[in-house]
Amino acid sequence: MIPIGKPLLGKEEIDAVTEVLNSGMIAQGPKVEEFELAFSEYTGSGYAAAVNSGTAALHIALLAHGIGKEDEVITSPFSFIATANSILYTGAKPVFADIEPDTFNIDPERIKEKITSKTRAIMPVHLYGHPADMKAIMEIADDNKLIVIEDACQSHGAECLGKKVGSFGTGAFSFYPTKNMTTSEGGMLTTDEKEIAEKAKMIRAHGSKIRYLHEMLGFNLRMTDIAAAIGLVQLGKLNKFTEARQRNAQMLSAGLKGISGLVPAITKAACTHVFHQYTVRAEKRDQLASFLKEKEIGTGVHYPTPIHKQPFYKELGYRDSLPVSEKAVEEVLSLPVHPALSGTDIQKIVEATREFYVED
Ligand SMILES: *Cc1c(COP(=O)(O)O)cnc(C)c1O
């Protein structure tokens, strides 16, 4: 079976973990600090704060900016549930703006329509590894004095106009095993504001800077040195991983060109796509997925339900009509693109997909 995702872990990661275990310092310690420094340098942000998940990074980013009750945050309905849930955790209200049909990212024109006197922040998601339109989004934020929190959980290293995602506003990254790099579970907040970084580090540790002195309500959302040690090795390999993803994507796009009924993934000018997923729009999507499964090719639907249509959100009273997202959930299919794939694997994926549409 060709899996839809697979972490690439080797001897270096095992050795790094062993070193931490032997040191006896297995909670948050010097490796976390080293990882934060390396990651902030990588993204070109002034500061970084490591946490135990991407969800935690989003949650802390909102809290560090003082977002809470009575506030509205505009975000994409076409994402993993954690994006909108992080807003709910703070007591603020997620407001959904529909997406662009080609990149599947939040549409700046739709953001403008959703701004009210309660809007405090915009939370774009760089979905599948393709940056959202950060030029337009930063302009809207400037014009309306809004905070920008980037959900960069799928887009480590992606660039928009030569600038890495996570460095436009406050960034949130995930290191879950299927992401472009991993620490097992883990996350990172990036920011250029010293005050936000300091606040984030307090919130992750029960609101304290000095042990047992608690200045605000916080949580335990810390990363361990075991996870950070894996992250440091993975970060060193990230550019190689990304190049392999981009090479695989290029081969998929070349192979899938011209099939009637299927639209290959696109990359917009001025963007670097890091292909967390290679996602096509496919007619008869579910039949294609079953056909590929029979041929031992794993696929994924990211995502089958837009957030505003999730049972829990309907219970909260969401009744939005967001037609571009509602159509996308019926048509998207992610094909394997991860760096563990061989050329033969890609060939197999292309041939099987072509066979489905020819036979059909
Ligand atoms: C993975 C992911 C998250 C959450 O990250 P976790 O580390 O799983 O908590 C949030 N948003 C998006 C878009 C993601 O893909």
Side-chain angles (χ1 to χ4, degrees):
M1 186 82 185
I2 302 176
I4 180 68
K6 186 184 173 188
L8 271 179
L9 298 161
K11 188 175 181 307
E12 300 93 328
E13 285 84 351
I14 292 168
D15 289 346
V17 168
T18 305
E19 187 197 315
V20 172
L21 292 177
N22 284 330
S23 79
M25 181 70 227
I26 59 172
Q28 183 187 299
K31 286 286 174 197
V32 166
E33 212 169 310
E34 201 185 319
F35 185 33
E36 287 171 342
L37 194 64
F39 201 83
S40 67
E41 273 170 16
Y42 181 80
T43 56
S45 308
Y47 307 91
V51 289
N52 59 13
S53 72
T55 307
L58 288 166
H59 183 195
I60 290 189
L62 291 157
L63 292 175
H65 281 284
I67 289 164
K69 273 200 184 68
E70 309 295 324
D71 295 334
E72 292 180 357
V73 179
I74 299 174
T75 192
S76 172
F78 192 61
S79 182
F80 181 53
I81 192 84
T83 308
N85 278 359
S86 70
I87 300 165
L88 288 179
Y89 298 157
T90 69
K93 183 183 174 199
V95 172
F96 298 109
D98 212 354
I99 57 170
E100 301 171 335
D102 51 358
T103 64
F104 304 103
N105 281 323
I106 196 166
D107 184 336
E109 289 308 312
R110 303 284 89 80
I111 293 175
K112 287 181 194 165
E113 297 164 3
K114 299 289 172 123
I115 294 172
T116 71
S117 58
K118 290 184 172 181
T119 309
R120 287 281 315 282
I122 307 170
M123 185 183 277
V125 182
H126 307 298
L127 198 72
Y128 307 146
H130 192 299
D133 184 349
M134 292 314 290
K135 183 169 183 279
I137 292 169
M138 294 313 287
E139 276 169 17
I140 295 168
D142 280 347
D143 291 348
N144 297 278
K145 300 200 166 35
L146 301 175
I147 293 152
V148 174
I149 295 170
E150 303 172 67
D151 182 338
C153 287
Q154 302 188 356
S155 55
H156 318 63
E159 291 179 9
C160 183
L161 299 158
K163 198 169 144 68
K164 284 212 166 68
V165 301
S167 70
F168 289 87
T170 298
F173 292 83
S174 166
F175 304 124
Y176 187 75
T178 55
K179 305 294 161 102
N180 293 35
M181 59 171 281
T182 188
T183 62
S184 72
E185 296 275 5
M188 189 76 79
L189 176 151
T190 54
T191 178
D192 274 333
E193 297 170 70
K194 189 165 185 232
E195 197 194 317
I196 296 296
E198 280 178 358
K199 237 179 171 174
K201 287 178 183 178
M202 284 173 70
I203 296 167
R204 79 174 168 196
H206 283 298
S208 77
K209 245 187 297 200
I210 299 162
R211 186 175 275 199
Y212 303 132
L213 182 68
H214 304 280
E215 299 174 46
M216 61 198 293
L217 180 65
F219 304 85
N220 176 358
L221 299 170
R222 290 182 300 258
M223 177 180 276
T224 66
D225 265 23
I226 301 169
I230 301 172
L232 276 163
V233 177
Q234 289 268 302
L235 183 60
K237 297 178 177 177
L238 180 58
N239 285 342
K240 276 219 164 77
F241 289 163
T242 302
E243 282 160 24
R245 285 178 183 276
Q246 290 168 336
R247 211 163 41 236
N248 291 342
Q250 221 169 17
M251 286 193 277
L252 286 169
S253 287
L256 298 173
K257 213 165 58 184
I259 300 179
S260 120
L262 182 141
V263 184
I266 63 118
T267 306
K268 277 205 170 165
C271 290
T272 310
H273 193 333
V274 296
F275 290 98
H276 169 61
Q277 299 292 355
Y278 184 95
T279 304
V280 301
R281 247 185 218 279
E283 276 173 23
K284 306 198 183 71
R285 189 261 319 272
D286 295 336
Q287 291 98 309
L288 173 60
S290 309
F291 183 81
L292 292 175
K293 192 174 171 201
E294 271 170 39
K295 303 250 167 194
E296 308 228 293
I297 298 166
T299 60
V301 175
H302 306 101
Y303 294 90
T305 308
I307 298 176
H308 65 288
K309 297 266 189 191
Q310 290 287 353
F312 172 56
Y313 280 77
K314 284 207 279 197
E315 239 173 73
L316 288 174
Y318 282 86
R319 296 287 181 273
D320 302 61
S321 164
L322 301 162
V324 186
S325 300
E326 286 159 30
K327 183 151 187 270
V329 297
E330 306 287 336
E331 296 180 345
V332 289
L333 189 69
S334 302
L335 304 174
V337 73
H338 55 85
L341 298 171
S342 66
T344 316
D345 292 334
I346 301 281
Q347 202 79 38
K348 203 174 148 192
I349 296 162
V350 167
E351 275 164 18
T353 307
R354 297 201 79 93
E355 193 186 329
F356 173 80
Y357 285 103
V358 168
E359 268 189 359
D360 189 58

